[in-house]
Amino acid sequence: MITFELYRHQARHEQDSFAATVTRIGCAKSGRLEYGHGLPDLGRAVGRRALKATLAAHPRTLVLDEAQWLSSEQLEYIRYLWDDPYTQLAVIFVGGEGCHATLRKEPMLSSRIFIWQRFTRLTTDEVLETIPLYHPIWADADPKDITYADSRAAHGNFRNWARLTAHTLSALNRTGRPRVDQEVLRWAFSRLGSGT
């Protein structure tokens, strides 16, 4: 589920003012677009105004992951928010298989997409260049250990690197070791399960 939350909106008129209100746009696989949840009996119209006012206050970036699961209605609402002349909204659609086709089915939206970018797995050279910058535990790691970790578990995928980094950090904390090595990595690999 993708949730976009806005906190502490103060409306212009006293009768519409409320503090610590949460407005949500929930984009679920069910295909329902829900907004206005959590509003204190002020209704969805006030929720929409609060959302648009917050988006107009200063530039924001809305990242929608798993965009291939968004319905036409959800995509139309995102386009509506982006098109509003007062909002300062950048939208990033991220998705897996079928994302491009889902977005292309909406010509009013797809004509507004500035860049279509396909991401592929990092090559070994890219891993060796990028991963030491990704997290401090990799900054002083032996390049052979980084290559070992990539070939056994991460496979050039940032999601895998994030999981591996969390488990490796846990191993370092448990063992008191100052640096990543292959023994620590093997322990981390054992925590990843069979999905790697």
Side-chain angles (χ1 to χ4, degrees):
M1 178 176 248
I2 300 163
T3 305
F4 182 77
E5 299 180 276
L6 306 170
Y7 297 96
R8 290 175 289 158
H9 170 76
Q10 185 76 28
R12 264 189 240 167
H13 303 290
E14 191 62 34
Q15 68 269 21
D16 287 346
S17 69
F18 54 95
T21 295
V22 177
T23 302
R24 290 186 174 99
I25 302 173
C27 301
K29 288 183 183 180
S30 67
R32 293 182 357 198
L33 177 65
E34 301 174 64
Y35 46 88
H37 291 277
L39 295 176
D41 298 318
L42 295 174
R44 291 183 176 194
V46 173
R48 285 191 298 268
R49 284 198 307 270
L51 175 61
K52 287 174 74 174
T54 302
L55 293 174
H58 56 78
R60 298 194 186 264
T61 302
L62 176 61
V63 179
L64 298 166
D65 198 5
E66 302 295 341
Q68 70 272 15
W69 300 113
L70 297 175
S71 69
S72 292
E73 181 184 52
Q74 293 164 339
L75 292 169
E76 176 60 21
Y77 191 72
I78 299 302
R79 186 197 60 79
Y80 161 78
L81 291 173
W82 185 84
D83 273 352
D84 186 286
Y86 299 103
T87 62
Q88 300 179 64
L89 182 63
V91 181
I92 300 173
F93 294 99
V94 181
E97 193 67 35
C99 182
H100 184 262
T102 298
L103 296 173
R104 278 289 194 202
K105 283 192 275 188
E106 303 299 326
M108 295 285 288
L109 175 67
S110 67
S111 68
R112 289 164 171 77
I113 294 176
F114 183 66
I115 296 173
W116 297 88
Q117 181 65 50
R118 180 182 174 98
F119 290 92
T120 58
R121 296 180 186 274
L122 296 172
T123 66
T124 301
D125 288 341
E126 290 169 330
V127 166
L128 290 171
E129 182 181 339
T130 306
I131 296 306
L133 302 173
Y134 171 61
H135 194 279
I137 66 169
W138 305 113
D140 65 346
D142 186 319
K144 290 179 185 176
D145 290 334
I146 294 173
T147 303
Y148 175 74
D150 192 55
S151 68
R152 298 293 192 286
H155 311 293
N157 179 295
F158 258 110
R159 183 175 292 164
N160 292 343
W161 272 105
R163 291 176 51 226
L164 179 60
T165 299
H167 289 297
T168 304
L169 185 58
S170 179
L172 289 172
N173 289 334
R174 286 176 184 226
T175 63
R177 292 184 183 198
R179 207 171 161 200
V180 173
D181 59 40
Q182 289 192 14
E183 186 177 342
V184 166
L185 289 171
R186 281 190 293 276
W187 183 90
F189 298 161
S190 75
R191 300 302 186 259
L192 294 173
S194 61
T196 59

PDB file of all heavy atoms in Angstrom, residues 78-91:
ATOM      1  N   ILE A  78      -3.649  11.273  -9.545  1.00  0.00           N
ATOM      2  CA  ILE A  78      -2.267  11.758  -9.449  1.00  0.00           C
ATOM      3  C   ILE A  78      -2.015  12.807 -10.535  1.00  0.00           C
ATOM      4  O   ILE A  78      -1.406  13.847 -10.280  1.00  0.00           O
ATOM      5  CB  ILE A  78      -1.258  10.592  -9.564  1.00  0.00           C
ATOM      6  CG1 ILE A  78      -1.458   9.571  -8.437  1.00  0.00           C
ATOM      7  CG2 ILE A  78       0.169  11.101  -9.610  1.00  0.00           C
ATOM      8  CD1 ILE A  78      -1.346  10.123  -7.040  1.00  0.00           C
ATOM      9  N   ARG A  79      -2.505  12.543 -11.755  1.00  0.00           N
ATOM     10  CA  ARG A  79      -2.359  13.519 -12.841  1.00  0.00           C
ATOM     11  C   ARG A  79      -3.075  14.820 -12.487  1.00  0.00           C
ATOM     12  O   ARG A  79      -2.560  15.918 -12.698  1.00  0.00           O
ATOM     13  CB  ARG A  79      -2.907  12.970 -14.160  1.00  0.00           C
ATOM     14  CG  ARG A  79      -2.631  13.926 -15.330  1.00  0.00           C
ATOM     15  CD  ARG A  79      -3.482  13.634 -16.541  1.00  0.00           C
ATOM     16  NE  ARG A  79      -4.897  13.735 -16.298  1.00  0.00           N
ATOM     17  CZ  ARG A  79      -5.596  14.888 -16.242  1.00  0.00           C
ATOM     18  NH1 ARG A  79      -4.993  16.042 -16.389  1.00  0.00           N
ATOM     19  NH2 ARG A  79      -6.893  14.886 -16.034  1.00  0.00           N
ATOM     20  N   TYR A  80      -4.261  14.711 -11.913  1.00  0.00           N
ATOM     21  CA  TYR A  80      -5.044  15.883 -11.499  1.00  0.00           C
ATOM     22  C   TYR A  80      -4.248  16.722 -10.490  1.00  0.00           C
ATOM     23  O   TYR A  80      -4.183  17.947 -10.606  1.00  0.00           O
ATOM     24  CB  TYR A  80      -6.376  15.399 -10.912  1.00  0.00           C
ATOM     25  CG  TYR A  80      -7.103  16.382 -10.048  1.00  0.00           C
ATOM     26  CD1 TYR A  80      -7.833  17.426 -10.607  1.00  0.00           C
ATOM     27  CD2 TYR A  80      -7.078  16.260  -8.658  1.00  0.00           C
ATOM     28  CE1 TYR A  80      -8.517  18.325  -9.801  1.00  0.00           C
ATOM     29  CE2 TYR A  80      -7.757  17.153  -7.849  1.00  0.00           C
ATOM     30  CZ  TYR A  80      -8.464  18.185  -8.424  1.00  0.00           C
ATOM     31  OH  TYR A  80      -9.146  19.082  -7.635  1.00  0.00           O
ATOM     32  N   LEU A  81      -3.624  16.076  -9.516  1.00  0.00           N
ATOM     33  CA  LEU A  81      -2.819  16.810  -8.538  1.00  0.00           C
ATOM     34  C   LEU A  81      -1.609  17.455  -9.191  1.00  0.00           C
ATOM     35  O   LEU A  81      -1.259  18.595  -8.891  1.00  0.00           O
ATOM     36  CB  LEU A  81      -2.355  15.868  -7.409  1.00  0.00           C
ATOM     37  CG  LEU A  81      -3.435  15.349  -6.477  1.00  0.00           C
ATOM     38  CD1 LEU A  81      -2.848  14.303  -5.537  1.00  0.00           C
ATOM     39  CD2 LEU A  81      -4.074  16.481  -5.686  1.00  0.00           C
ATOM     40  N   TRP A  82      -0.971  16.732 -10.096  1.00  0.00           N
ATOM     41  CA  TRP A  82       0.214  17.258 -10.768  1.00  0.00           C
ATOM     42  C   TRP A  82      -0.156  18.447 -11.662  1.00  0.00           C
ATOM     43  O   TRP A  82       0.577  19.431 -11.728  1.00  0.00           O
ATOM     44  CB  TRP A  82       0.887  16.166 -11.597  1.00  0.00           C
ATOM     45  CG  TRP A  82       2.175  16.611 -12.203  1.00  0.00           C
ATOM     46  CD1 TRP A  82       3.395  16.608 -11.608  1.00  0.00           C
ATOM     47  CD2 TRP A  82       2.370  17.142 -13.512  1.00  0.00           C
ATOM     48  NE1 TRP A  82       4.346  17.104 -12.463  1.00  0.00           N
ATOM     49  CE2 TRP A  82       3.736  17.444 -13.648  1.00  0.00           C
ATOM     50  CE3 TRP A  82       1.525  17.407 -14.579  1.00  0.00           C
ATOM     51  CZ2 TRP A  82       4.274  17.980 -14.800  1.00  0.00           C
ATOM     52  CZ3 TRP A  82       2.064  17.935 -15.738  1.00  0.00           C
ATOM     53  CH2 TRP A  82       3.423  18.217 -15.836  1.00  0.00           C
ATOM     54  N   ASP A  83      -1.289  18.360 -12.334  1.00  0.00           N
ATOM     55  CA  ASP A  83      -1.715  19.418 -13.256  1.00  0.00           C
ATOM     56  C   ASP A  83      -2.183  20.696 -12.571  1.00  0.00           C
ATOM     57  O   ASP A  83      -2.244  21.746 -13.198  1.00  0.00           O
ATOM     58  CB  ASP A  83      -2.860  18.922 -14.148  1.00  0.00           C
ATOM     59  CG  ASP A  83      -2.369  18.213 -15.392  1.00  0.00           C
ATOM     60  OD1 ASP A  83      -1.144  18.233 -15.651  1.00  0.00           O
ATOM     61  OD2 ASP A  83      -3.203  17.634 -16.095  1.00  0.00           O
ATOM     62  N   ASP A  84      -2.561  20.607 -11.307  1.00  0.00           N
ATOM     63  CA  ASP A  84      -3.065  21.795 -10.617  1.00  0.00           C
ATOM     64  C   ASP A  84      -2.005  22.892 -10.689  1.00  0.00           C
ATOM     65  O   ASP A  84      -0.841  22.669 -10.353  1.00  0.00           O
ATOM     66  CB  ASP A  84      -3.378  21.460  -9.157  1.00  0.00           C
ATOM     67  CG  ASP A  84      -4.034  22.626  -8.445  1.00  0.00           C
ATOM     68  OD1 ASP A  84      -3.323  23.599  -8.131  1.00  0.00           O
ATOM     69  OD2 ASP A  84      -5.252  22.560  -8.224  1.00  0.00           O
ATOM     70  N   PRO A  85      -2.384  24.094 -11.144  1.00  0.00           N
ATOM     71  CA  PRO A  85      -1.378  25.146 -11.332  1.00  0.00           C
ATOM     72  C   PRO A  85      -0.721  25.631 -10.037  1.00  0.00           C
ATOM     73  O   PRO A  85       0.321  26.274 -10.081  1.00  0.00           O
ATOM     74  CB  PRO A  85      -2.164  26.284 -12.002  1.00  0.00           C
ATOM     75  CG  PRO A  85      -3.589  26.025 -11.688  1.00  0.00           C
ATOM     76  CD  PRO A  85      -3.730  24.535 -11.522  1.00  0.00           C
ATOM     77  N   TYR A  86      -1.303  25.292  -8.895  1.00  0.00           N
ATOM     78  CA  TYR A  86      -0.753  25.779  -7.634  1.00  0.00           C
ATOM     79  C   TYR A  86       0.104  24.745  -6.913  1.00  0.00           C
ATOM     80  O   TYR A  86       0.869  25.090  -6.018  1.00  0.00           O
ATOM     81  CB  TYR A  86      -1.870  26.257  -6.712  1.00  0.00           C
ATOM     82  CG  TYR A  86      -2.636  27.392  -7.335  1.00  0.00           C
ATOM     83  CD1 TYR A  86      -3.887  27.187  -7.896  1.00  0.00           C
ATOM     84  CD2 TYR A  86      -2.080  28.674  -7.426  1.00  0.00           C
ATOM     85  CE1 TYR A  86      -4.574  28.228  -8.509  1.00  0.00           C
ATOM     86  CE2 TYR A  86      -2.758  29.715  -8.040  1.00  0.00           C
ATOM     87  CZ  TYR A  86      -4.009  29.484  -8.577  1.00  0.00           C
ATOM     88  OH  TYR A  86      -4.681  30.502  -9.187  1.00  0.00           O
ATOM     89  N   THR A  87      -0.025  23.480  -7.274  1.00  0.00           N
ATOM     90  CA  THR A  87       0.805  22.487  -6.599  1.00  0.00           C
ATOM     91  C   THR A  87       2.208  22.523  -7.183  1.00  0.00           C
ATOM     92  O   THR A  87       2.409  22.868  -8.338  1.00  0.00           O
ATOM     93  CB  THR A  87       0.229  21.058  -6.742  1.00  0.00           C
ATOM     94  OG1 THR A  87       0.198  20.700  -8.115  1.00  0.00           O
ATOM     95  CG2 THR A  87      -1.152  20.952  -6.133  1.00  0.00           C
ATOM     96  N   GLN A  88       3.150  22.179  -6.348  1.00  0.00           N
ATOM     97  CA  GLN A  88       4.552  22.115  -6.758  1.00  0.00           C
ATOM     98  C   GLN A  88       5.005  20.671  -6.577  1.00  0.00           C
ATOM     99  O   GLN A  88       5.747  20.351  -5.677  1.00  0.00           O
ATOM    100  CB  GLN A  88       5.384  23.052  -5.893  1.00  0.00           C
ATOM    101  CG  GLN A  88       4.947  24.504  -5.985  1.00  0.00           C
ATOM    102  CD  GLN A  88       5.803  25.368  -5.094  1.00  0.00           C
ATOM    103  OE1 GLN A  88       7.008  25.494  -5.306  1.00  0.00           O
ATOM    104  NE2 GLN A  88       5.199  25.943  -4.077  1.00  0.00           N
ATOM    105  N   LEU A  89       4.496  19.829  -7.449  1.00  0.00           N
ATOM    106  CA  LEU A  89       4.621  18.398  -7.264  1.00  0.00           C
ATOM    107  C   LEU A  89       5.418  17.746  -8.383  1.00  0.00           C
ATOM    108  O   LEU A  89       5.153  17.966  -9.553  1.00  0.00           O
ATOM    109  CB  LEU A  89       3.211  17.778  -7.222  1.00  0.00           C
ATOM    110  CG  LEU A  89       3.081  16.290  -6.998  1.00  0.00           C
ATOM    111  CD1 LEU A  89       3.626  15.901  -5.627  1.00  0.00           C
ATOM    112  CD2 LEU A  89       1.620  15.874  -7.115  1.00  0.00           C
ATOM    113  N   ALA A  90       6.394  16.954  -7.988  1.00  0.00           N
ATOM    114  CA  ALA A  90       7.092  16.067  -8.918  1.00  0.00           C
ATOM    115  C   ALA A  90       6.656  14.655  -8.558  1.00  0.00           C
ATOM    116  O   ALA A  90       6.559  14.313  -7.385  1.00  0.00           O
ATOM    117  CB  ALA A  90       8.597  16.200  -8.763  1.00  0.00           C
ATOM    118  N   VAL A  91       6.360  13.850  -9.559  1.00  0.00           N
ATOM    119  CA  VAL A  91       5.899  12.488  -9.325  1.00  0.00           C
ATOM    120  C   VAL A  91       6.890  11.515  -9.942  1.00  0.00           C
ATOM    121  O   VAL A  91       7.300  11.681 -11.091  1.00  0.00           O
ATOM    122  CB  VAL A  91       4.496  12.260  -9.928  1.00  0.00           C
ATOM    123  CG1 VAL A  91       4.020  10.838  -9.656  1.00  0.00           C
ATOM    124  CG2 VAL A  91       3.494  13.275  -9.393  1.00  0.00           C
TER     125      VAL A  91
END
